[in-house]
Amino acid sequence: MKSLIKAILLSQACAIGALAQPTPQLTQNYWNSQDFIDRFMGAYGFDGDIEPSVNEEEAAVLRDTVSPLLQSGQIDAAIQQLASALTPDSSAAMDFTLGNMFYQKAQYGRARQYYRQAINKFKNFLRAYKFLAVVDVQDGRYDSAIQSFLKVIELGQGDALTYGMLGFCYMNKEQFGAAESAYRDAILLNPDELDFRNGLIHCLYEAGRYAEAITLLEDAILADPTKVQYWIMQTQALTNTKQFQRA
């Protein structure tokens, strides 16, 4: 039963599109990448404490009806069949799966509706919070996304990617202190991820902490001297600190 749900959710996650275009140019490619989506969603097995199970009848619907339709690309028919099988007493996994289908169709409002229904049924549904956060970032609903990311961390998934996305949300709300803290946590957990450093640079720059930004930019330029955005930001930071000769 777990392998069945795993296969369905994995096929849906692979179809999830790019995230909303971020404002900071240094970070936009990373948050838009399918690689980020796949890594952020993580493993697709179910943890009994933070993931719901399905009963035999629900498993039969997923196995015999929904899965074949998804495999043949008939997502509208799969949505119709799963929606008709859904009841107020259905497993939260059913609502979650339906939300994923609507996400694939870029119907983010409907996806959000079913992710929230899943969470209402299963309060600690970790992956529902993750997907809800992604939907909210997609729609620029950063306040809601922040709350979901914080819940993900509370449930024990405080990994580098989660902290990185939390920093991204705070940065888009111009809460640069909170963004800096989140990015530093992300860097601590994964110091090799360049985009966390890029986000931190942007936070420091926007907060007017140009000297610190310059130091990080110098390291970034040494690591990748071909990245034009580094040079532009460094020149602007040097100008803002009146280091005209260096600029």
Side-chain angles (χ1 to χ4, degrees):
M1 186 180 302
K2 289 184 178 180
S3 61
L4 166 67
I5 300 173
K6 177 179 179 180
I8 291 175
L9 296 181
L10 180 58
S11 68
Q12 293 178 339
C14 289
I16 289 179
L19 293 175
Q21 286 287 343
T23 300
Q25 291 297 311
L26 288 177
T27 64
Q28 66 179 13
N29 292 332
Y30 180 73
W31 302 122
N32 278 316
S33 69
Q34 185 64 42
D35 175 65
F36 162 73
I37 290 288
D38 292 341
R39 285 195 289 154
F40 179 69
M41 294 312 176
Y44 292 88
F46 278 83
D47 183 319
D49 293 330
I50 55 178
E51 305 280 358
S53 60
V54 294
N55 61 33
E56 292 184 5
E57 182 180 350
E58 292 165 339
V61 171
L62 294 174
R63 178 185 64 246
D64 301 332
T65 304
V66 175
S67 183
L69 289 171
L70 289 176
Q71 290 173 5
S72 62
Q74 300 180 67
I75 188 169
D76 288 329
I79 287 174
Q80 183 177 5
Q81 291 295 321
L82 184 53
S84 66
L86 214 62
T87 72
D89 297 323
S90 296
S91 168
M94 304 287 275
D95 298 83
F96 176 68
T97 302
L98 188 55
N100 287 352
M101 294 181 195
F102 280 116
Y103 193 109
Q104 289 181 9
K105 291 179 63 64
Q107 296 184 22
Y108 303 126
R110 297 299 301 278
R112 182 180 297 107
Q113 171 190 341
Y114 286 103
Y115 292 148
R116 289 197 178 280
Q117 282 185 197
I119 290 168
N120 286 337
K121 290 181 176 181
F122 196 93
K123 299 300 183 184
N124 290 335
F125 195 165
L126 173 62
R127 202 166 331 139
Y129 280 107
K130 278 192 168 187
F131 276 63
L132 178 60
V134 170
V135 168
D136 284 333
V137 171
Q138 182 80 39
D139 282 347
R141 298 162 63 105
Y142 298 116
D143 285 322
S144 178
I146 287 168
Q147 294 308 309
S148 293
F149 285 127
L150 291 175
K151 184 65 176 181
V152 169
I153 293 169
E154 177 187 328
L155 291 173
Q157 193 79 42
D159 57 15
L161 290 170
T162 300
Y163 279 111
M165 276 301 293
L166 182 61
F168 173 77
C169 292
Y170 279 128
M171 184 163 58
N172 275 276
K173 288 182 58 61
E174 299 185 357
Q175 296 182 19
F176 298 117
E180 178 189 349
S181 295
Y183 276 126
R184 289 194 185 279
D185 285 337
I187 292 168
L188 182 65
L189 293 169
N190 186 358
D192 296 327
E193 183 57 71
L194 298 181
D195 204 80
F196 299 155
R197 179 195 61 198
N198 294 342
L200 178 58
I201 290 171
H202 188 89
C203 288
L204 294 172
Y205 181 88
E206 292 297 331
R209 294 162 60 182
Y210 302 120
E212 294 170 79
I214 289 169
T215 299
L216 291 178
L217 282 164
E218 288 173 347
D219 293 338
I221 289 171
L222 285 174
D224 185 3
T226 66
K227 198 171 188 69
V228 176
Q229 285 293 334
Y230 290 151
W231 292 98
I232 293 174
M233 187 169 282
Q234 184 192 51
T235 298
Q236 292 172 337
L238 289 169
T239 300
N240 289 337
T241 55
K242 303 186 185 307
Q243 300 182 57
F244 302 114
Q245 290 186 336
R246 290 185 62 191

